[in-house]
Amino acid sequence: MTTLFNILITFIWVFILYALWDAAFSETGAIAGYSWDEMRTYILLAYGINALVGWRVASQMMGTIRTGEITRELTRPLNYRSTQLAAAAGMSVVEGLISLVLILVLGTLLFDVQPPDSPVAAALFAVALLAGFVIKALCIFLISLLCFWTLNSVGLMWAQQAVISVLSGTLIPLAMMPGALRVVAEVLPLRGIVSTPLQIYLGKAQGWDLAGLLALQFGWLAVLWFFSDWAWRKAFNAVEIQGG
Amino acid sequence: MDTNAAPIIEAKGLTKHFRRPVKEPGLKGAVRHLFRPAYADVVAVEGVNLSILPGESVAYVGPNGAGKSTTVKLLTGILVPTSGRVTVNGLTPFENRVENARRIGVVFGQRTQLWWDIPVGESFRLLGDIYELPDETYRASFGELIDVLDLEPLLRVPARQLSLGQRMRCDLAASLLHRPPILYLDEPTIGLDVSVKARFREFIRYMHRERGLTVMLTSHDLGDIEELCDRMVMIDNGRIVYDGALSEVTTRFGWERAVHLTLTEPDESALEAASRALGNRPGAVATQPEPTMVAVTFDSRETTAGELIRDLATALAVTDIRIEEPTAESIIRRLYEGDLVFEQAE
C-alpha cells in the first residue's frame, strides 16, 4: 500500500511540474540549454529516480533509533550500516520496478520521453544511477544518525527531503539554478543522485566533462562511505539506547 | 559446574553514566535550553563487578531504574561503558559487537525479535542466514527447538498474530537457534499467564541443566528467580548490593522481624499502651492495622522477640501472638520500596 501511495505522489508532482514547464516553454525554445523535449524527459526521470530511496528508508531507521527498537538490530551479528543499505535496496527494487513500468508506459504515451543519447550514454547512465543510489542511501543514513542526538525525526525528515530534492537537481536542473546555489549544488555530492545520471542520459556531458562528473560522483561516494562508517562508530560510542 | 573454569562473563568496575538534558517546563524552559543547554549526569551503573562461570544461572534483580537493563545492554555490547572492563566469551562486547552477537542469545520480554509481518518459520530461516548457520546445524537446532517448544503449529503464522505466550516461545527459539553458550533474558515473563510461565521455566531449566547454557535473567518475578537461578545478584542505584544464593539473603539482611498481637477486644488506646511499653526498646515500632491487632517491627540485633512479648503481654490484653520470620520475598520487596537500605556488598 505504502509503495503504491509513494508512486502516486511522485506522479502527482510530475504532472504539476509538467504543467509549469509546459507554460514556461510555450514562450521560448530553450531554457539554460534545455529544449522542451529534454525538459519533459528530465522532469519525469528526475522524480522517478529521486523516489527510489524514499521516505520509508529514513523513517524506518529514525524510528528504530527513537524507540530503542535498534536494540534488536544490534544484538544480531550484522554490520549496522550494511543492514540499512540492504533495507534501502530491498525497498527500492520493489518501488523501482513498479515506477519503471509506469514511467515507460506514461513516458511513451503522455510525455513523449526521449531515449538515451547513445548506447554508451545508456550504459554510463546505469552506472551513475547505481552510484547515485548508494550516495543517497548513505546521506540518509548519515542524517538518520543525527536522530541519536535530536531524538526528533519529523524535522529531520522534512529538512532532508527538501535539501535533497533541491540540491540533487530533482526540482530544477542545476544549469537553471541562480549563481551561488548552482555553485554549491555542483560541488556537493547530492547532484550525483539525480543530476549526474540525467546529464549523462541526455548527452549533456561529453568527453572530459563526462569523466569529470563521474570522477566527482565516485570521489564523493568514497568519502561518504568512509565518513558514514566513522560517524556510526561515533554515534554508537556517544549515545544511549532509548527505552528500558 | 566447574569451579576452576574461567568466568564466561566478567565485569570489573563497569560504569555507565548518561547525560540527560535538563529542561525547565513550558515554552520558556524549552527556549532557554535551546540557547543554554543544561545537562545532568545520570549514573546508570557504577563500579559493577561481576563474574559468572560457564553453566551458571544468575538472577539479576533490582527495582525499576536500578541499572539492570543498562547492565544487560553493556554485556551484550550495544552500549559502550563510560569506564570499566567487560569480557564475555573472552571478547570485549562493544568492541566486537558482531562477533559477540554470534555467541549470545538475547530475549527482551517487551520486544520481539521476529519480523512482524512474515510467518514465524520464515523468520527462523532468515535468522539461520543471518547467523550463517550451516544447513546441518540449522536443521538439527531448529528441529530440537520446534520439538521442545512445540512450535510446529505456529510456523505459518505471522508474528503479529501470535498471543504473548506463543510469541515468547518463538522468541526463545529464535534466540537459541544459533546455539549460543549464553542466554540473556530481560524480564521474559512479563505478562505471561501462570501455565505459560511454568512451561517457560521448565524449558529454561532444561536448557540450563541438559545443555549447560549459561543464563542471566533479569526479572521482578520471584518465582523465576527461585526456580531458575542458583545465584542472585541485586543492584540498587547502579551498585551491586548483594551477590549470593537467594536463600542466604534472609540470613544476611533478615534482621528485621515483626510480632503480631491479636487483642481480646477492639481497643482504641492499645497503640499508645504498646508504644509506652516499648519506650526503652531501640528500633521497635508499633502500628495498629486493625482495632484488634497490634504489630511491632523490631531489629533482631538489638532486641529479642521474647523481651518484646514480655513487655507487650503485660501492657495489653492479648489472645494470640504470631512472630513473623523474614522471607526473601519480604526483604526484596522492602528493598524495592526503598525502606530497607542495604550496605554495599564487599
Side-chain angles (χ1 to χ4, degrees), chain A residues 152-166:
Chain A
N152 170 307
S153 57
V154 181
L156 281 178
M157 288 295 294
W158 284 108
Q160 168 253 108
Q161 287 284 105
V163 170
I164 289 182
S165 89
V166 173

Side-chain angles (χ1 to χ4, degrees), chain B residues 30-325:
Chain B
V31 172
R32 185 174 301 165
H33 184 78
L34 195 61
F35 291 104
R36 213 186 271 167
Y39 295 95
D41 197 45
V42 179
V43 177
V45 172
E46 181 76 48
V48 163
N49 296 322
L50 202 59
S51 174
I52 296 173
L53 298 172
E56 264 194 294
S57 63
V58 176
Y60 198 54
V61 300
N64 288 325
K68 298 190 303 291
S69 288
T70 303
T71 311
V72 172
K73 283 172 185 166
L74 289 166
L75 294 178
T76 50
I78 64 179
L79 266 188
V80 180
T82 308
S83 65
R85 234 160 35 84
V86 215
T87 320
V88 176
N89 280 315
L91 296 169
T92 303
F94 67 93
E95 284 172 1
N96 306 281
R97 181 181 62 80
V98 171
E99 198 39 52
N100 182 57
R102 281 184 203 289
R103 310 189 203 171
I104 58 168
V106 189
V107 173
F108 290 104
Q110 317 195 49
R111 290 190 172 126
T112 178
Q113 53 188 314
L114 305 163
W115 283 267
W116 201 236
D117 293 313
I118 66 174
V120 172
E122 293 290 313
S123 276
F124 289 144
R125 199 153 347 149
L126 253 167
L127 285 169
D129 287 339
I130 286 175
Y131 287 94
E132 292 166 346
L133 301 180
D135 261 5
E136 219 167 287
T137 317
Y138 173 78
R139 239 170 288 142
S141 180
F142 181 69
E144 188 195 3
L145 290 165
I146 293 291
D147 209 37
V148 182
L149 288 164
D150 188 23
L151 298 179
E152 191 64 53
L154 302 177
L155 292 178
R156 284 162 204 280
V157 184
R160 64 183 137 83
Q161 288 176 10
L162 297 174
S163 73
L164 188 59
Q166 292 169 333
R167 208 207 76 200
M168 179 47 68
R169 266 150 62 203
C170 294
D171 260 321
L172 273 173
S175 63
L176 291 171
L177 199 58
H178 55 292
R179 297 191 160 161
I182 301 175
L183 179 64
Y184 298 103
L185 298 157
D186 194 10
E187 297 182 22
T189 54
I190 269 188
L192 297 182
D193 73 39
V194 186
S195 80
V196 175
K197 235 182 236 185
R199 283 178 68 186
F200 162 81
R201 288 173 189 162
E202 196 185 321
F203 173 73
I204 296 295
R205 225 174 8 236
Y206 166 79
M207 292 304 289
H208 173 57
R209 300 229 170 110
E210 304 298 317
R211 293 276 177 274
L213 186 69
T214 306
V215 177
M216 182 158 174
L217 168 99
T218 77
S219 181
H220 290 300
D221 190 320
L222 274 166
D224 290 348
I225 300 163
E226 256 165 356
E227 288 188 37
L228 295 177
C229 300
D230 330 313
R231 178 175 157 199
M232 182 173 82
V233 176
M234 192 177 284
I235 184 169
D236 191 26
N237 285 322
R239 291 164 207 271
I240 288 183
V241 291
Y242 178 78
D243 185 347
L246 177 66
S247 54
E248 277 166 26
V249 82
T250 48
T251 49
R252 194 160 159 188
F253 298 103
W255 37 260
E256 210 178 60
R257 301 191 179 197
V259 176
H260 296 269
L261 306 153
T262 309
L263 307 176
T264 46
E265 53 186 5
D267 184 355
E268 302 261 309
S269 61
L271 186 59
E272 208 183 306
S275 298
R276 214 173 319 115
L278 294 168
N280 53 349
R281 300 253 172 238
V285 180
T287 52
Q288 191 170 15
E290 286 167 47
T292 55
M293 290 283 285
V294 170
V296 178
T297 57
F298 65 101
D299 184 337
S300 65
R301 296 171 302 186
E302 307 259 1
T303 183
T304 65
E307 289 170 325
L308 274 183
I309 291 166
R310 195 188 58 215
D311 289 353
L312 292 165
T314 52
L316 300 167
V318 177
T319 55
D320 198 10
I321 294 172
R322 185 166 59 84
I323 300 171
E324 188 185 305
E325 287 290 326

Side-chain angles (χ1 to χ4, degrees), chain A residues 64 67-81 83 149-151 232-233 235-244, chain B residues 16 18-20 69 73 76-80 94-95 97-99 101-102 104 106 108 110-116 127 130-131 186:
Chain A
T64 59
T67 59
E69 252 334 277
I70 192 176
T71 308
R72 184 183 67 182
E73 291 175 38
L74 292 183
T75 50
R76 293 196 175 127
L78 294 172
N79 178 292
Y80 184 67
R81 187 183 57 180
T83 317
W149 286 277
T150 65
L151 296 181
W232 162 243
R233 263 177 243 238
F236 180 61
N237 275 286
V239 293
E240 56 185 292
I241 310 285
Q242 300 301 310
Chain B
K16 178 72 185 177
F18 290 120
R19 212 176 61 143
R20 195 144 290 165
S69 288
K73 283 172 185 166
T76 50
I78 64 179
L79 266 188
V80 180
F94 67 93
E95 284 172 1
R97 181 181 62 80
V98 171
E99 198 39 52
R102 281 184 203 289
I104 58 168
V106 189
F108 290 104
Q110 317 195 49
R111 290 190 172 126
T112 178
Q113 53 188 314
L114 305 163
W115 283 267
W116 201 236
L127 285 169
I130 286 175
Y131 287 94
D186 194 10

Side-chain angles (χ1 to χ4, degrees), chain A:
Chain A
M1 257 342 254
T2 325
T3 309
L4 290 178
F5 272 117
N6 280 348
I7 292 166
L8 188 70
I9 288 164
T10 303
F11 275 95
I12 291 172
W13 274 109
V14 168
F15 277 111
I16 293 170
L17 276 174
Y18 179 86
L20 277 171
W21 287 109
D22 194 12
F25 272 97
S26 66
E27 302 284 322
T28 168
I31 298 172
Y34 281 82
S35 69
W36 176 226
D37 284 343
E38 289 169 336
M39 198 59 211
R40 281 199 310 269
T41 310
Y42 192 99
I43 299 165
L44 185 67
L45 292 183
Y47 266 85
I49 294 169
N50 195 37
L52 269 187
V53 188
W55 180 270
R56 264 198 296 168
V57 178
S59 68
Q60 206 168 52
M61 182 173 153
M62 291 183 190
T64 59
I65 294 172
R66 260 170 57 76
T67 59
E69 252 334 277
I70 192 176
T71 308
R72 184 183 67 182
E73 291 175 38
L74 292 183
T75 50
R76 293 196 175 127
L78 294 172
N79 178 292
Y80 184 67
R81 187 183 57 180
S82 311
T83 317
Q84 299 308 317
L85 290 183
M91 289 184 209
S92 300
V93 166
V94 177
E95 291 187 10
L97 281 178
I98 300 174
S99 296
L100 189 71
V101 172
L102 278 173
I103 282 173
L104 284 177
V105 171
L106 282 177
T108 43
L109 291 181
L110 291 176
F111 288 78
D112 188 22
V113 159
Q114 307 279 297
D117 190 51
S118 66
V120 177
L124 289 177
F125 165 72
V127 172
L129 189 64
L130 205 66
F133 165 81
V134 182
I135 287 175
K136 185 168 180 189
L138 287 174
C139 286
I140 287 184
F141 177 80
L142 278 166
I143 294 164
S144 302
L145 283 185
L146 289 176
C147 220
F148 268 120
W149 286 277
T150 65
L151 296 181
N152 170 307
S153 57
V154 181
L156 281 178
M157 288 295 294
W158 284 108
Q160 168 253 108
Q161 287 284 105
V163 170
I164 289 182
S165 89
V166 173
L167 293 180
S168 66
T170 308
L171 214 53
I172 51 168
L174 264 48
M176 294 183 190
M177 287 180 182
L181 181 64
R182 180 174 171 177
V183 173
V184 172
E186 281 183 343
V187 177
L188 287 181
L190 296 176
R191 74 180 298 186
I193 300 166
V194 171
S195 176
T196 302
L198 280 182
Q199 276 181 286
I200 295 169
Y201 181 96
L202 293 171
K204 291 276 171 196
Q206 305 281 356
W208 284 110
D209 277 355
L210 177 65
L213 273 183
L214 285 173
L216 182 70
Q217 198 192 20
F218 277 86
W220 269 121
L221 182 58
V223 170
L224 287 171
W225 187 261
F226 287 108
F227 181 64
S228 57
D229 193 42
W230 176 84
W232 162 243
R233 263 177 243 238
K234 193 90 184 150
F236 180 61
N237 275 286
V239 293
E240 56 185 292
I241 310 285
Q242 300 301 310

